[in-house]
Amino acid sequence: MKKEVTDEVLNLSDALVLRLNLDGTIYFVNTKVLKTLARTREELLGKKWTDIFIPSGFESACFKALSQIKDEDSDEHKNMALIIPAKFNPEKLIRWNILFIGKNETASGEGKIICVGVNITELTNLLKRYEKITRFNDMAEKFSHYLLRGENEERLLQKFCDILYEYEFAKYIWVGKTIDDGNKKSLVPITVRGFDIKVLDKYDFSWIENVDLIKNHERNIKRKKEFIYRNISDSKIDSMRKVAMKFDIRSVIVLPVFVGREVFGVIHLYSKNTDLFDDDEIKCIEKMIVDFELAIEKNRLYENNKKSLENIKKSEQNYKSLISQMNQGFALHRVVLNDDNKVVDYIFLDVNKKFEEYTGLKKENIVGKTVREVLPETEKYWLDVYGKVAMTGKPVQFENFAGEFGKYFLVSAYSPKYKEFAVTFTDVTSRYNAEKRFRDYIEKAPIGIILSDINGKCLEANRTFSDITGYPLEELKGMEFSNLNLERDKGNKKVFSTLIDEGNIAGIFSFRNMNGNKKYVNIKALKIDEDKLLGFVIDVTKEMGNERDLINLKMATERSIDGIGVYSNEFKLIYLNEAHANIYGYETTEELLGKSWRTLYREEELEDFDKRIIPEFNRKGFWKGESLGKRKNGSLFPQEISISKLKDGGLICIVRDITEKNKIIKEREEIFIKTKKNFELFINTLVKIVELRDPYTSGHQERVAQLSVAIAKKMNLSREKVEAIRVAALLHDIGKIYIPSEILNKATKLTDLEFKMIKEHSQNGYELLKELQFDLPIAEYILQHHERNDGSGYPHGLTEGEIYMEAKIIAVADVVEAISSHRPYRPALGIEVAFDEIKKNSGILYDEEIVKVCLELFEEGFEFI
């Protein structure tokens, strides 16, 4: 029992505990050992310590201690501390305290070895990491001193090389600088560490042409990426292997140095060991390189700035001279902002002589003042435009009228720096006035005028052209010329392609105006330069009308499948097409020409024409309807007739044989009747399914449908909506088929869970019917029939504006029927209680108008059947 207790205590220990016999056999391990070494107890017990641990250190250290306690009479204790890694997990570093106990010191008379260990892997790694970071910081700090001194570029490279070598980053180091002689780029060795720089003189470090190392990694260098050979002996580049063999090198890293976008130089680090450089070391060197790059850029920038300042002074003098003498108005301003950072004014900073000439304002009177002080009536338009330029930096160019000066200016505005803007402007008043007069002439021209680009896009058009085409001027601008579908009257050639090919066109063309009416126009058009087309258009529709009408009428009637006949004042056929003759059973039109229309009808139809149709035709000037026609062989057929008076007397008659049409209509009516019967059978079947599950509410859905339909009709809803409400009301409780019958028929109060199941019948009904194709959203009406205006309904808590009117009607009918009818859990409460419920909650739960209509129905005598 004592041993078991001891073992249990050791298993709970945070220390690693091993017990061994003197021959090195393990007979106890605690839980911490198993977790640390990731082994099971069976894998360790009974094994020799030499099977588990790397023996070299343990054997040499322990041999002497073991030999001293081999003697049975020895009672000495030997204690030592060692770090001994396991064979199968050598990266784990464990510090062992080892106690050797002689034979006389144990109850069993056998010597023992007790090992107590602590896992120091993480601590060791942290110490190494700390030493590395300390080393990196020392390097960076030392290099920073040189950077701050402002040493020249080559001196900084040498110091960088010294620091890397001093901190033993590599066995050999050399730094090359790029030289560009105009023909090629080369790497020139600047400094080396670890070997003589003369060694490098034997190699031609051409940037592109000769050195395999540079050629192979030029892309990496240009992308500012280092490249590493962790084992040069594996390299496929002969020159690298030769260098490796000569200097006993195993790994190399090459790091590019950039100043701006140009390669300044390359740093090479070589080591005798493979895989020398880890990520932390590379990052450290890269950071130092970045600092070096910034220092070089700073020094160069300083030198450039000195030259730039001199150039700026010269440029300022030239700028002032140019601004003063330029032939455009110029002004420089700074905007004034309010507390909301919005532009409310701007200050004059500088103006030139041309500005004074254009505006009449003198420089000495306005510089330093705001525009509101100088020109109090300045329009907000100018503040908005210029303010946007100053705050966003986006330049603008525009032409506008400046009311303060009564002139038109062509203005360009840009921002030389944040919150400032400069404007250059030219007085274009005379040009604008001339253009305006010309535009007035164009607008008043009695013929249509259009200007387009070479691709046929309308640039300008006058009012007459707009009237001819029917398109508003705003729509014409930017419209493709081809959209008008202009066609040459003869040959059907496209106008636009003809104009491009021939350089000009002239002739009569037809097109459809915006309203679809055919128009005829006389067009003369020509290229006015390489990218502009100008056209003159005259409407000749009236002149072409009579001739065209006759030609088109003949073409249309001959191709028509309807019978067309023209009758004289004496109602005799003076013209008919072949379709007209064929419909009445005649083979040629000649058989009917000159005959009276009465030839085509039997006596019964003629009487109807005389009494009813002819009086109506004489009164209205037209008549359209159906009658029976008589063929040449005496057979009758149903026909559609349309007759209209002609201006010069007589009439035109259009006839269509509708025998096949009537047949199709009859077939469709039969299909519709059959489909409707099947639909009603389907609906009634679904209703009976619900009633079978819930016999106590038998007839409930039919009665709700009766009241819903009555309400819908009284509200003058369309026939389609009334029918949709009837179907939805009949099926509004279809979702109850998913609810157990024992819950539906329960005579006592429902539990919360049972009532929650009942409330799901709206959603269930919707899911059941949503895929069926109805003309109106019947499934949605069923889903919403328990929603209420104030959002207290279910399933989605919709409010008044989100609920279909049809669902609101079914909701009121459902409440009235339910309250006034018997239920398993209560007797019928009566119709008056139902009225009280909907009155009390009118406008709250239920729609006010629907409640009002429902109550009026019962007052008028409505009763459930």
Side-chain angles (χ1 to χ4, degrees):
M1 176 63 74
K2 185 176 180 181
K3 179 179 181 301
E4 292 176 357
V5 171
T6 303
D7 290 350
E8 184 65 27
V9 171
L10 292 177
N11 276 324
L12 295 173
S13 174
D14 283 335
L16 291 79
V17 181
L18 286 173
R19 289 178 176 174
L20 299 86
N21 294 321
L22 289 181
D23 62 358
T25 303
I26 299 172
Y27 69 88
F28 173 82
V29 293
N30 74 340
T31 304
K32 191 67 175 181
V33 173
L34 302 177
K35 289 182 179 179
T36 304
L37 299 182
R39 287 294 185 274
T40 64
R41 203 170 252 104
E42 291 72 18
E43 290 177 302
L44 299 180
L45 292 178
K47 298 291 191 300
K48 293 284 189 176
W49 63 270
T50 51
D51 296 331
I52 307 302
F53 298 102
I54 298 175
S56 57
F58 185 84
E59 187 173 21
S60 60
C62 301
F63 179 78
K64 184 176 180 180
L66 286 171
S67 64
Q68 290 176 352
I69 61 173
K70 288 284 186 179
D71 185 7
E72 294 182 359
D73 296 330
S74 175
D75 58 357
E76 290 188 44
H77 291 71
K78 296 294 180 181
N79 194 354
M80 63 180 66
L82 296 172
I83 297 175
I84 309 171
K87 282 183 176 181
F88 42 76
N89 206 349
E91 70 276 5
K92 294 282 187 180
L93 300 177
I94 302 171
R95 184 180 185 281
W96 294 98
N97 287 315
I98 306 170
L99 178 65
F100 300 90
I101 303 174
K103 296 180 180 180
N104 293 337
E105 294 298 311
T106 61
S108 61
E110 299 177 356
K112 303 293 181 185
I113 303 174
I114 299 175
C115 302
V116 179
V118 178
N119 186 354
I120 61 170
T121 306
E122 185 175 351
L123 178 61
T124 303
N125 291 337
L126 286 173
L127 288 173
K128 290 180 179 179
R129 178 77 175 168
Y130 175 76
E131 291 174 358
K132 184 184 291 186
I133 291 172
T134 302
R135 178 169 166 247
F136 292 164
N137 288 338
D138 289 346
M139 288 176 59
E141 185 178 356
K142 183 172 288 189
F143 189 55
S144 295
H145 290 311
Y146 295 113
L147 295 179
L148 292 173
R149 291 178 187 175
E151 304 266 2
N152 64 46
E153 296 174 4
E154 291 190 10
R155 178 66 175 165
L156 283 176
L157 279 175
Q158 292 173 356
K159 291 300 181 182
F160 187 50
C161 204
D162 288 341
I163 291 171
L164 293 176
Y165 191 72
E166 177 185 347
Y167 283 86
E168 299 179 350
F169 255 77
K171 179 67 176 177
Y172 305 109
I173 304 172
W174 74 272
V175 178
K177 184 178 179 182
T178 58
I179 302 296
D180 189 349
D181 62 3
N183 296 320
K184 66 177 183 179
K185 292 181 179 179
S186 301
L187 278 174
V188 177
I190 299 300
T191 185
V192 300
R193 295 295 180 270
F195 58 97
D196 192 342
I197 195 170
K198 292 181 180 180
V199 174
L200 298 178
D201 293 340
K202 300 178 182 179
Y203 299 95
D204 179 11
F205 291 101
S206 171
W207 183 247
I208 294 176
E209 296 165 0
N210 299 320
V211 178
D212 292 333
L213 178 64
I214 300 303
K215 285 173 64 179
N216 193 48
H217 298 291
E218 181 185 0
R219 181 180 299 177
N220 282 42
I221 290 176
K222 287 184 177 180
R223 292 180 179 177
K224 300 187 179 183
K225 293 176 69 70
E226 79 285 342
F227 54 91
I228 303 171
Y229 279 97
R230 297 193 181 279
N231 191 342
I232 298 182
S233 59
D234 294 337
S235 172
K236 296 180 181 179
I237 302 174
D238 291 338
S239 61
M240 292 188 66
R241 285 201 302 272
K242 289 178 182 177
V243 172
M245 292 175 62
K246 182 172 183 179
F247 293 101
D248 192 22
I249 294 169
R250 294 293 177 268
S251 59
V252 61
I253 178 171
V254 181
L255 300 119
V257 181
F258 277 75
V259 176
R261 295 185 178 182
E262 296 296 322
V263 182
F264 175 79
V266 183
I267 298 171
H268 299 73
L269 307 174
Y270 301 91
S271 171
K272 289 187 175 183
N273 301 318
T274 58
D275 288 319
L276 172 66
F277 309 102
D278 62 24
D279 291 341
D280 288 333
E281 290 172 321
I282 293 171
K283 287 179 182 178
C284 174
I285 298 173
E286 286 179 337
K287 184 180 182 305
M288 293 174 67
I289 289 175
V290 170
D291 291 340
F292 170 78
E293 292 171 343
L294 291 174
I296 296 298
E297 288 185 18
K298 181 180 176 182
N299 289 342
R300 289 185 179 183
L301 183 62
Y302 174 74
E303 294 298 324
N304 290 336
N305 283 344
K306 287 171 63 178
K307 295 179 181 178
S308 297
L309 288 173
E310 296 175 0
N311 292 333
I312 288 172
K313 289 180 180 179
K314 292 180 181 179
S315 297
E316 285 180 349
Q317 294 173 355
N318 294 334
Y319 163 79
K320 289 180 178 179
S321 175
L322 175 64
I323 293 299
S324 175
Q325 298 174 19
M326 68 187 296
N327 200 33
Q328 291 177 300
F330 172 85
L332 180 66
H333 313 82
R334 182 173 67 251
V335 295
V336 178
L337 306 178
N338 62 11
D339 294 338
D340 296 328
N341 211 38
K342 291 185 178 180
V343 176
V344 293
D345 210 339
Y346 55 83
I347 299 171
F348 288 93
L349 301 179
D350 192 14
V351 297
N352 70 349
K353 292 181 180 179
K354 202 66 177 178
F355 175 94
E356 295 178 327
E357 179 184 329
Y358 281 152
T359 65
L361 301 172
K362 294 299 181 181
K363 180 176 179 178
E364 58 268 21
N365 296 331
I366 62 174
V367 170
K369 295 182 179 180
T370 70
V371 71
R372 295 285 194 191
E373 293 173 322
V374 176
L375 302 167
E377 302 300 321
T378 297
E379 299 170 9
K380 187 176 182 297
Y381 169 83
W382 299 95
L383 290 174
D384 293 341
V385 172
Y386 292 146
K388 189 173 182 180
V389 172
M391 300 303 287
T392 66
K394 293 182 179 179
V396 295
Q397 186 176 49
F398 58 93
E399 190 173 296
N400 206 347
F401 180 73
E404 303 91 338
F405 309 111
K407 295 180 180 181
Y408 287 92
F409 291 114
L410 175 62
V411 181
S412 295
Y414 65 94
S415 176
K417 69 178 183 178
Y418 182 55
K419 294 185 181 180
E420 289 188 6
F421 68 93
V423 294
T424 58
F425 56 98
T426 304
D427 184 354
V428 293
T429 306
S430 58
R431 176 178 65 79
Y432 185 87
N433 290 336
E435 288 178 356
K436 186 175 183 301
R437 287 194 297 272
F438 179 73
R439 286 177 182 274
D440 290 341
Y441 299 149
I442 295 296
E443 277 299 308
K444 295 174 182 177
I447 64 173
I449 300 175
I450 178 173
L451 178 69
S452 77
D453 65 15
I454 199 67
N455 297 313
K457 183 183 290 185
C458 177
L459 303 175
E460 296 287 347
N462 70 348
R463 182 65 58 186
T464 305
F465 185 80
S466 171
D467 294 339
I468 293 172
T469 62
Y471 289 94
L473 284 173
E474 328 57 269
E475 290 189 32
L476 281 172
K477 289 183 180 180
M479 179 186 288
E480 294 292 339
F481 195 63
S482 58
N483 287 355
L484 296 176
N485 292 321
L486 286 171
E487 295 180 344
R488 193 183 288 273
D489 193 38
K490 293 181 180 180
N492 205 36
K493 279 189 175 180
K494 295 287 183 182
V495 173
F496 187 68
S497 59
T498 303
L499 180 57
I500 295 299
D501 295 338
E502 300 177 9
N504 63 81
I505 55 169
I508 304 295
F509 301 87
S510 62
F511 73 99
R512 298 280 177 185
N513 67 8
M514 185 179 181
N515 298 321
N517 299 323
K518 192 165 187 177
K519 305 277 284 185
Y520 292 92
V521 287
N522 187 351
I523 294 181
K524 291 184 179 180
L526 67 155
K527 284 185 182 180
I528 58 175
D529 57 39
E530 287 304 314
D531 61 350
K532 296 288 190 305
L533 308 171
L534 182 65
F536 302 93
V537 184
I538 301 174
D539 187 352
V540 294
T541 304
K542 290 182 180 179
E543 291 79 357
M544 297 294 294
N546 294 333
E547 179 183 354
R548 293 291 174 183
D549 287 346
L550 291 174
I551 295 171
N552 291 339
L553 175 62
K554 186 174 181 181
M555 291 177 61
T557 56
E558 290 301 326
R559 296 172 183 172
S560 174
I561 62 172
D562 294 331
I564 301 175
V566 180
Y567 291 81
S568 67
N569 289 330
E570 293 76 32
F571 301 106
K572 291 184 179 181
L573 275 164
I574 59 175
Y575 170 82
L576 71 157
N577 65 355
E578 289 185 3
H580 193 281
N582 295 337
I583 286 173
Y584 289 97
Y586 295 86
E587 294 180 2
T588 64
T589 59
E590 287 74 18
E591 293 181 79
L592 284 176
L593 278 174
K595 291 187 177 181
S596 170
W597 64 277
R598 291 180 176 271
T599 307
L600 307 176
Y601 299 92
R602 65 177 183 173
E603 284 298 322
E604 289 86 343
E605 276 67 50
L606 290 172
E607 290 177 6
D608 186 50
F609 268 77
D610 291 336
K611 291 180 181 179
R612 182 176 60 88
I613 298 174
I614 291 178
E616 183 178 344
F617 171 76
N618 289 332
R619 186 173 67 255
K620 295 182 177 179
F622 66 90
W623 182 85
K624 183 177 181 180
E626 294 182 3
S627 69
L628 288 176
K630 185 179 71 173
R631 294 192 178 95
K632 182 179 180 180
N633 62 10
S635 62
L636 303 176
F637 67 98
Q639 61 179 5
E640 267 185 359
I641 304 176
S642 174
I643 53 178
S644 302
K645 284 184 179 180
L646 295 175
K647 290 182 180 179
D648 299 325
L651 60 87
I652 184 169
C653 176
I654 301 175
V655 180
R656 176 175 295 179
D657 186 346
I658 59 173
T659 303
E660 287 300 317
K661 175 183 174 183
N662 288 347
K663 183 179 178 182
I664 293 171
I665 290 173
K666 185 176 180 182
E667 290 175 353
R668 288 180 177 174
E669 286 176 351
E670 292 173 356
I671 293 171
F672 175 78
I673 291 170
K674 185 177 179 180
T675 302
K676 188 172 181 181
K677 286 181 179 179
N678 289 336
F679 179 74
E680 288 296 328
L681 181 61
F682 170 71
I683 297 299
N684 291 333
T685 301
L686 292 177
V687 171
K688 292 186 183 302
I689 290 172
V690 177
E691 292 180 352
L692 286 172
R693 301 291 314 286
D694 187 11
Y696 285 96
T697 59
S698 176
H700 166 68
Q701 296 185 113
E702 287 88 347
R703 290 191 293 275
V704 171
Q706 291 170 23
L707 181 53
S708 297
V709 167
I711 293 172
K713 287 181 177 179
K714 191 170 179 63
M715 291 176 69
N716 294 319
L717 298 186
S718 66
R719 183 185 303 174
E720 292 78 12
K721 287 194 175 184
V722 172
E723 178 60 15
I725 289 171
R726 184 184 73 85
V727 173
L730 283 171
L731 299 176
H732 75 278
D733 280 339
I734 187 66
K736 288 184 178 179
I737 64 175
Y738 292 98
I739 301 171
S741 57
E742 56 267 30
I743 294 177
L744 291 174
N745 301 317
K746 187 175 180 181
T748 59
K749 184 179 179 181
L750 297 175
T751 65
D752 290 344
L753 178 59
E754 290 169 340
F755 184 63
K756 185 178 180 182
M757 292 178 68
I758 290 287
K759 288 170 69 175
E760 290 177 355
H761 77 279
S762 301
Q763 185 71 42
N764 293 338
Y766 170 78
E767 297 295 335
L768 187 64
L769 299 176
K770 68 179 180 181
E771 299 299 329
L772 293 179
Q773 298 297 315
F774 298 102
D775 292 335
L776 291 170
I778 289 174
E780 292 283 352
Y781 303 162
I782 292 171
L783 176 67
Q784 296 181 3
H785 79 274
H786 275 293
E787 299 287 359
R788 298 295 181 255
N789 281 12
D790 63 354
S792 62
Y794 62 84
H796 297 305
L798 303 180
T799 56
E800 181 179 3
E802 300 170 312
I803 307 170
Y804 283 103
M805 175 62 73
E806 293 83 348
K808 294 177 181 179
I809 291 173
I810 296 171
V812 171
D814 186 30
V815 168
V816 171
E817 198 287 332
I819 292 176
S820 62
S821 299
H822 175 75
R823 289 291 181 269
Y825 50 88
R826 62 160 173 76
L829 299 177
I831 195 68
E832 292 301 326
V833 176
F835 290 165
D836 289 340
E837 165 61 18
I838 62 174
K839 286 179 185 176
K840 178 177 63 176
N841 290 298
S842 176
I844 301 172
L845 303 179
Y846 315 111
D847 186 274
E848 288 185 57
E849 183 183 2
I850 296 171
V851 170
K852 178 183 176 185
V853 170
C854 178
L855 294 172
E856 287 175 356
L857 279 171
F858 281 92
E859 289 173 1
E860 293 166 2
F862 174 85
E863 291 182 354
F864 290 114
I865 300 174

